[in-house]
Amino acid sequence: MAALSLAPRALYEEVAELLRQRIFSRELEPGSWIDELKIAHDYGISRTPMREALKVLATEGLVTMKVRRGAYVTEVSERDLADVYHLLSLLESDAAGFVAQRADDAQMDELKALHQELEDAAQPEQRDHERFFEINERFHMRLLDIADNRWRNQMVADLRKVMKLNRHNSLLKTGRIQESLEEHRAIMAALAARNPQACTQRMQEHFSNGLEAAV
């Protein structure tokens, strides 16, 4: 009985992840209507797990449900972005300061290795916006993991999903990848110096500049 009760949940979560990735890749663009029937048919599922998946994405802010009109990919306003970046700045700068004080040498080495991957991905001859963004996110999430506050991690994960709706705009701004890399270098220098105040400030500057590029 337990296996049967878990199957529907696993299915709608799988569908939610498939839709989530289609939204992040812009296959389903902001403001576009989500054709529930067609997608359910394409996936070979009934409308029930499809609707449950959309409820999950609506809770995350990726989908907006409109009465008698269905589900739409959320369009993020400038106000939305400002609010999201403000909260991310508060949460992640606090985590950075904590890591500067408390991280052990092995954890610092992990962050250095991730930063080196970021450096490599930013090289002109092999620059890949998607790869740079993926490594950048891994760096930020690893820093949060080291700070070890699961409630903060959960909030940041949800906020970053909304931020991803606009990521292409910010990544494609001329020179933004190089600017972001320079900001990461400053964060790493503050971490290496074990300076929590500097880490907090550098991370706040990183998000402030990120918001400017995003709007």
Side-chain angles (χ1 to χ4, degrees), residues 60 84 87-88 91-92 141 144 149-162:
E60 295 174 355
V84 166
L87 289 173
L88 284 172
L91 293 166
E92 296 203 32
M141 297 310 293
L144 287 160
N149 183 322
R150 69 188 180 98
W151 302 108
R152 173 169 52 206
N153 288 9
Q154 182 176 317
M155 287 187 285
V156 168
D158 287 343
L159 289 165
R160 279 186 165 273
K161 288 171 186 172
V162 178

Side-chain angles (χ1 to χ4, degrees), residues 12-13 16 20 51-62:
Y12 80 71
E13 287 183 340
R20 196 180 287 118
R51 286 172 175 169
E52 291 301 313
L54 290 173
K55 287 178 183 178
V56 170
L57 298 180
T59 300
E60 295 174 355
L62 299 179

Side-chain angles (χ1 to χ4, degrees), residues 110-124 126-140 160 171 176-188 203 206:
E110 286 184 68
L111 293 174
K112 289 176 184 175
L114 283 169
H115 176 75
Q116 186 56 54
E117 287 188 53
L118 207 60
E119 292 273 3
D120 294 341
Q123 294 304 308
Q126 57 186 27
R127 184 166 296 171
D128 182 331
H129 291 172
E130 290 297 332
R131 176 169 158 71
F132 185 90
F133 187 92
E134 184 268 329
I135 298 168
N136 175 71
E137 185 169 49
R138 278 199 285 130
F139 176 92
H140 281 267
R160 279 186 165 273
L171 281 175
R176 179 56 197 154
I177 282 185
Q178 191 59 40
E179 290 173 359
S180 180
L181 184 61
E182 293 291 345
E183 291 156 17
H184 269 264
R185 288 171 180 164
I187 291 168
M188 285 305 305
M203 188 65 80
H206 182 47

Side-chain angles (χ1 to χ4, degrees), residues 60-87:
E60 295 174 355
L62 299 179
V63 164
T64 300
M65 308 297 291
K66 300 183 180 182
V67 179
R68 292 187 294 274
R69 295 174 61 191
Y72 291 76
V73 179
T74 298
E75 291 184 278
V76 181
S77 67
E78 288 190 15
R79 169 65 186 274
D80 291 330
L81 278 177
D83 288 346
V84 166
Y85 272 80
H86 173 68
L87 289 173

